[in-house]
Amino acid sequence: MTQSIYSNYPPELSAAQQKFLVTAVKDWAIQNGLAVRPSPAIVPAGTDQNGVLATNAPVTLFPSPFPRTCFDEATALQEIYNELYASITCNEEWLGDIVKGLIEVDDFVANLWKVHLAVKKEGYVQNLSLGLFRSDYMAHVSATGDPALKQVEFNTISSSFGGLSARVRQMHAEFLTSPPGPSINYPFHPLLHSEVPPENPAVETLSSGLARAHEAYGVSKSTPALPLCVVFVVQATERNVFDQHALSEQLKKVHNIPVFRVASVDVLEQTFIPSDNSARPLLYRPPHSPESTFEVTTLYLRAFYSPDDHTSSRDWDARTHLERSAAIKCPTVLNQLSGCKKVQQVLAEPTGLDHLSAFLKGVDPSLIERVRSTFAPQYDLSANSKGRELALNPETAMNHVLKPQREGGGNNIYKSDIPGFLQSLPESDWMGWVLMELINPAANAQNVALRNDGEVLRGDVISELGIYGTILWEDTGKILHNNHGGYLLRTKGKEVNEGGVAAGFSSLDGVLLF
Ligand code: ADP
Ligand code: MG
Ligand code: MG
């Protein structure tokens, strides 16, 4: 990685230039829905009782440089990654073996598996599954100094920020090109002005996946036939609503599909399965229009990925109710489980068992090796294992992160905290965690972020790239649709361990390829 690319990027801003740019970003964000509902930390309790306020999403003022070779490779591998995770989901026995190793130590995983077993016992009535995936990477600086693409994780549920990341790209691109002529928004810099950030069709990709599932559902299974719709299952307290609206708007306006939002806590009240219909269609009665009933073709889960969404047995009943219905799930419980960090660790294990080739039968071996080379070393923590040794030694722990089977950010343990944390847990619980070597991205880049409370931060940053993909498949493994498109760049201070925009660690960013 060439030091010179970064050495004076982004351009320095005078106080007046920074004020101008921050105002431009703040206003552009609200004008264009690059926004989130404010957290209680920003709006004190009682100030926004009617929930009318919105603020800019945390966002960088400049797009960040990202190596073109890594960006292109991540894009090139997305469809094969889609296929890999569809294939894992189809192999209930293999996945079940992994899950069984977690059941004793992880109630959340155990309960998900119970939902699957309950529906399996009754019999699944939908053989199609939809994946809206995001594969996350960093550009690792290898010993030779060249950047190498390394996967942070693969997300199979609630892969978010497609809507907002497309808008960040639009904002940076507009600031660079509008008005025509020398940029009045940014001081000149050769890297910044060498090209416009790459197109970001995340909204088109993700909504096309949902539309494809809607179409594949076929005709109504009700008598008389009911109008069909897509339902987004969301968290009642969701703040990232505009990201989700970007997808539902596209579904409504471009694909002409009715879309409704149902909070996870309202699922059992607002949806039902008629007991006299063995096809088990999922029916939805909008509370604002109780005389109309829709049949749900596709359920897009932006909830139920965390134990926080499952606070009572009623939430688990709701999840089982959705899973047993004829709606196409994005994701199914099995597909959600395939996204466990443990699965990623087992895939990366150099045990001699080549899981990757087994799941990608018929795929060009050189392509499989390219997927494999994106894995960073990962270990389990069984007795006498290398993972346990690395985790408990304070020196080697410094180069690692410890991950539980969770999504949504804020769950990992880092570096020097690892040995003490493990020792605070009963040894029997250690198998619920995986140890991963830290990816080491170039940290000599800088950027300026406007946080959603208006704070402006400038400093050394590191970035994480996500690539979106969609896949629709039958439980036999037959693939009906496999596509990729669009990206997310999240950037955080280099001293920050965690990632995640919603979790409050990163800012949305754009990409400048070099
Ligand atoms: P989650 O599913 O909660 O998002 P991740 O595996 O993505 O879990 O971890 C959260 C964050 O931790 C990432 O966004 C990244 O910033 C950091 N992280 C995770 N794994 C690594 C790694 N191997 N090297 C460096 N940072 C990592
Ligand atoms: Mg995740
Ligand atoms: Mg993540």
Side-chain angles (χ1 to χ4, degrees), residues 102-433:
L102 297 168
I103 281 177
E104 291 293 311
V105 292
D106 193 319
D107 283 350
F108 183 57
V109 169
N111 280 321
L112 283 171
W113 187 247
K114 263 193 225 155
V115 172
H116 162 62
L117 289 183
V119 178
K120 184 183 171 191
K121 190 163 171 208
E122 184 183 16
Y124 278 94
V125 288
Q126 177 56 263
N127 67 349
L128 295 174
S129 304
L130 175 68
L132 261 54
F133 298 151
R134 199 188 67 224
S135 186
D136 291 337
Y137 306 91
M138 287 175 176
H140 179 68
V141 182
S142 58
T144 61
D146 290 332
L149 183 74
K150 291 291 170 191
Q151 188 178 55
V152 173
E153 64 148 346
F154 193 87
N155 294 290
T156 59
I157 183 164
S158 301
S159 308
S160 58
F161 287 116
L164 295 192
S165 63
R167 289 183 177 158
V168 176
R169 186 267 164 202
Q170 192 192 336
M171 181 183 78
H172 288 150
E174 274 181 27
F175 284 6
L176 276 164
T177 57
S178 163
S183 175
I184 58 159
N185 300 297
Y186 291 130
F188 179 80
H189 187 281
L191 179 61
L192 185 58
H193 291 91
S194 58
E195 62 181 299
V196 176
E199 294 287 336
N200 190 346
V203 172
E204 291 80 357
T205 304
L206 296 172
S207 50
S208 297
L210 289 162
R212 184 70 185 81
H214 179 80
E215 176 196 313
Y217 181 87
V219 296
S220 166
K221 302 176 197 301
S222 307
T223 320
L226 290 171
L228 304 176
C229 76
V230 169
V231 160
F232 287 17
V233 180
V234 299
Q235 296 177 323
T237 55
E238 179 63 77
R239 298 196 297 109
N240 193 21
V241 288
F242 304 106
D243 181 52
Q244 300 171 349
H245 289 327
L247 304 188
S248 45
E249 288 297 291
Q250 180 86 1
L251 276 173
K252 289 180 207 167
K253 289 182 185 157
V254 176
H255 298 280
N256 290 315
I257 298 171
V259 185
F260 298 99
R261 294 167 66 81
V262 176
S264 60
V265 290
D266 294 331
V267 161
L268 290 177
E269 252 156 53
Q270 296 180 5
T271 71
F272 61 101
I273 299 172
S275 55
D276 59 353
N277 188 338
S278 61
R280 283 185 243 149
L282 183 69
L283 307 190
Y284 170 64
R285 215 167 262 163
H288 59 276
S289 175
E291 63 291 346
S292 48
T293 305
F294 289 81
E295 182 171 329
V296 182
T297 63
T298 310
L299 280 166
Y300 175 44
L301 300 193
R302 292 290 292 257
F304 287 135
Y305 58 83
S306 145
D308 301 344
D309 299 330
H310 300 82
T311 52
S312 70
S313 61
R314 190 176 155 79
D315 296 317
W316 285 107
D317 290 347
R319 188 70 199 270
T320 309
H321 160 77
L322 297 178
E323 193 71 10
R324 67 185 286 275
S325 80
I328 298 173
K329 269 75 67 182
C330 176
T332 60
V333 164
L334 284 181
N335 189 218
Q336 177 175 357
L337 286 166
S338 77
C340 278
K341 305 293 190 285
K342 181 75 192 165
V343 168
Q344 297 166 44
Q345 176 250 308
V346 170
L347 290 176
E349 225 166 34
T351 53
L353 287 175
D354 185 355
H355 301 296
L356 213 48
S357 299
F359 283 122
L360 295 173
K361 277 197 198 79
V363 171
D364 179 352
S366 68
L367 193 54
I368 293 178
E369 289 321 303
R370 281 164 63 191
V371 171
R372 204 188 309 277
S373 70
T374 64
F375 296 159
Q378 298 183 48
Y379 309 90
D380 72 32
L381 295 174
S382 51
N384 303 318
S385 64
K386 184 169 179 196
R388 194 176 277 207
E389 197 184 310
L390 291 169
L392 292 177
N393 177 338
E395 221 167 278
T396 46
M398 282 309 285
N399 195 30
H400 290 87
V401 46
L402 188 68
K403 301 187 181 186
Q405 315 304 315
R406 290 291 173 274
E407 291 302 328
N411 301 300
N412 298 342
I413 309 292
Y414 295 87
K415 302 178 182 174
S416 57
D417 290 340
I418 296 173
F421 175 79
L422 278 177
Q423 271 143 4
S424 75
L425 291 184
E427 222 176 286
S428 52
D429 285 359
W430 293 8
M431 288 308 283
W433 297 73

Side-chain angles (χ1 to χ4, degrees), residues 80-92:
I80 197 76
Y81 258 121
N82 291 345
E83 192 180 330
L84 172 63
Y85 278 86
S87 182
I88 292 171
T89 305
C90 290
N91 193 334
E92 189 223 11

